[in-house]
Amino acid sequence: MDIGGPTDVQHVAHVTFDRFNGFLGLPSEFEPDVPKKAPSASATVFGVSTESMQLSYDSRGNCVPVILLLLQSRLYDQGGLQVEGIFRITGENSEEEYVREQLNKGMIPDGIDVHCLAGLIKAWFRELPRGVLDPLSSEQVLQCESDEDFIKVVRLLPQTEASLLNWAINLMADVVQFENVNKMNSRNLALVFAPNMSQMKDPLTALMYAVQVMKLLKCLTEKALREREVTSPQVHTRSSNEAEYGEKEVDNEEEDEEEEEGDGVYIIEEVGSEAEGGEKEVENEEEEEEQDGDGVYIIEEEALQIIRVVADDHKSESMKSACDGSITSDSKGADGVVQPLICNPDHIGSK
């Protein structure tokens, strides 16, 4: 019997799958046959394997669950790195339970205490079915005696656990960078994170193992900080070089502007010198006028002297005529002898 192609095809509904709420938009006649919610591995974000969760990449290329990135982002945005005792002080249990329920629905409520957010990050690592360091045997961790040994043993982790550990180490390094504010150094953070990194079941070696894990976390955190210190001076040097280059360009521009302004000054000076020359010419003209004036004054004085001379001559002539008159009458004596000319005092100065 041959089966032909489908006929009378209709678009009845558009169905999507949500990892928290199952199938959405499913017609009611199909609901009894399909569970309303997704399997338990997708219904919660705590206590489940990483492979069953939605993953994403952080800024350093680590593939980690989205829930960790959301908690980290909210912690940073609320200033959790600057809060004293972060990751050491526990939040309220009632608030943590409420946030857990909201996280299982894919939401993070607003206004959550930063200590609650930090506690949920530790709880997520603690409740993993298999701890981040559990792929390593206890002997491999206990045999480490130096920082190089810890770095070598960490390289033996699978990709999933290595990404989670690297993410946690960089988170602790971010906190340590604000050590002067939050009072949390690498040792304190290693102490609070160590119990959440493995599921050690042997009570005889649990304490020794926890001490070794603490040393391992402290070693890796300080290594990450050293790498950041090596990288940041290079960035600072490049920024400084760019700043110096920019300053040189600004200096060159300022020098060009000063040269242009200097040309303007020279022009002003030339104009000023011309103005001074004009003023000097005016002053010379005034001096010439003054000299001419002095000449006029000299001429006037000479005229006065001439007038005085003329007046004196006129007086002398008057005196002479007066004397001549007296001669005609008085020049002869009784004996007819002409006497010397004697001027009459009464006529001197008379008109």
Side-chain angles (χ1 to χ4, degrees):
M1 178 180 178
D2 295 333
I3 300 176
T7 59
D8 194 15
V9 178
Q10 296 180 1
H11 184 271
V12 178
H14 181 72
V15 182
T16 58
F17 178 78
D18 182 74
R19 59 184 297 269
F20 296 107
N21 299 313
F23 292 97
L24 301 177
L26 193 66
S28 58
E29 59 267 21
F30 295 104
E31 287 183 359
D33 299 331
V34 179
K36 292 184 179 180
K37 294 204 173 204
S40 59
S42 300
T44 180
V45 295
F46 290 91
V48 296
S49 62
T50 307
E51 289 80 3
S52 64
M53 300 184 65
Q54 184 178 358
L55 305 178
S56 183
Y57 290 93
D58 66 353
S59 59
R60 295 178 175 84
N62 298 312
C63 185
V64 296
V66 175
I67 184 60
L68 290 179
L69 300 178
L70 294 175
L71 290 172
Q72 181 187 27
S73 177
R74 184 62 63 85
L75 178 68
Y76 288 9
D77 292 341
Q78 295 185 198
L81 297 180
Q82 292 84 18
V83 176
E84 183 175 352
I86 192 67
F87 287 104
R88 179 177 57 82
I89 299 175
T90 58
E92 296 182 2
N93 292 331
S94 59
E95 186 178 23
E96 183 175 334
E97 291 298 327
Y98 168 71
V99 177
R100 278 174 177 264
E101 294 177 359
Q102 297 300 316
L103 288 174
N104 289 332
K105 296 178 181 180
M107 299 180 296
I108 299 181
D110 295 330
I112 301 301
D113 182 47
V114 292
H115 294 295
C116 179
L117 295 172
L120 288 171
I121 292 175
K122 292 189 298 181
W124 187 90
F125 281 95
R126 183 173 61 252
E127 296 177 12
L128 283 173
R130 185 176 67 169
V132 173
L133 297 178
D134 285 350
L136 302 175
S137 63
S138 57
E139 290 78 11
Q140 288 176 317
V141 177
L142 292 173
Q143 289 175 359
C144 294
E145 298 180 354
S146 63
D147 294 349
E148 290 76 11
D149 294 339
F150 287 123
I151 295 172
K152 289 179 181 180
V153 75
V154 166
R155 292 173 181 170
L156 301 176
L157 287 171
Q159 183 61 42
T160 301
E161 284 74 13
S163 296
L164 290 174
L165 180 62
N166 192 19
W167 181 88
I169 292 298
N170 282 283
L171 173 66
M172 290 189 283
D174 291 341
V175 176
V176 174
Q177 285 186 326
F178 294 89
E179 176 186 355
N180 57 339
V181 179
N182 55 40
K183 312 301 180 186
M184 295 296 291
N185 55 25
S186 58
R187 182 181 180 278
N188 295 336
L189 285 170
L191 182 62
V192 297
F193 266 91
N196 306 303
M197 292 297 171
S198 64
Q199 305 289 341
M200 179 58 63
K201 297 179 180 180
D202 187 0
L204 298 177
T205 58
L207 181 59
M208 297 175 58
Y209 184 80
V211 172
Q212 282 294 95
V213 171
M214 184 183 69
K215 292 180 179 179
L216 183 146
L217 296 177
K218 180 176 179 291
C219 166
L220 296 178
T221 302
E222 292 177 350
K223 177 178 178 292
L225 290 172
R226 288 193 299 269
E227 291 175 351
R228 293 183 183 184
E229 291 177 356
V230 171
T231 306
S232 58
Q234 296 177 356
V235 176
H236 179 69
T237 303
R238 184 169 63 250
S239 301
S240 300
N241 293 333
E242 292 175 355
E244 290 178 358
Y245 179 73
E247 290 177 357
K248 289 181 180 179
E249 290 183 350
V250 172
D251 292 338
N252 293 332
E253 292 177 358
E254 291 179 353
E255 289 177 358
D256 295 337
E257 292 177 357
E258 289 177 357
E259 290 178 358
E260 293 176 358
E261 292 177 355
D263 297 336
V265 172
Y266 300 149
I267 295 171
I268 292 171
E269 289 179 354
E270 291 176 359
V271 173
S273 61
E274 293 177 358
E276 290 178 357
E279 292 178 356
K280 289 181 179 179
E281 292 179 359
V282 172
E283 290 177 356
N284 293 331
E285 291 178 358
E286 291 178 353
E287 289 177 357
E288 290 177 358
E289 290 178 357
E290 289 179 357
Q291 291 176 359
D292 296 339
D294 294 338
V296 173
Y297 300 148
I298 294 170
I299 293 169
E300 290 178 354
E301 290 177 356
E302 291 178 354
L304 292 174
Q305 291 178 359
I306 293 170
I307 292 170
R308 290 192 187 97
V309 170
V310 172
D312 292 340
D313 293 339
H314 179 70
K315 288 180 181 179
S316 60
E317 289 178 357
S318 299
M319 292 173 63
K320 182 178 180 182
S321 60
C323 291
D324 292 339
S326 60
I327 290 172
T328 56
S329 59
D330 297 334
S331 60
K332 293 181 179 180
D335 53 359
V337 179
V338 178
Q339 299 292 328
L341 181 61
I342 300 173
C343 294
N344 189 359
D346 296 336
H347 295 284
I348 296 174
S350 62
K351 294 182 182 180

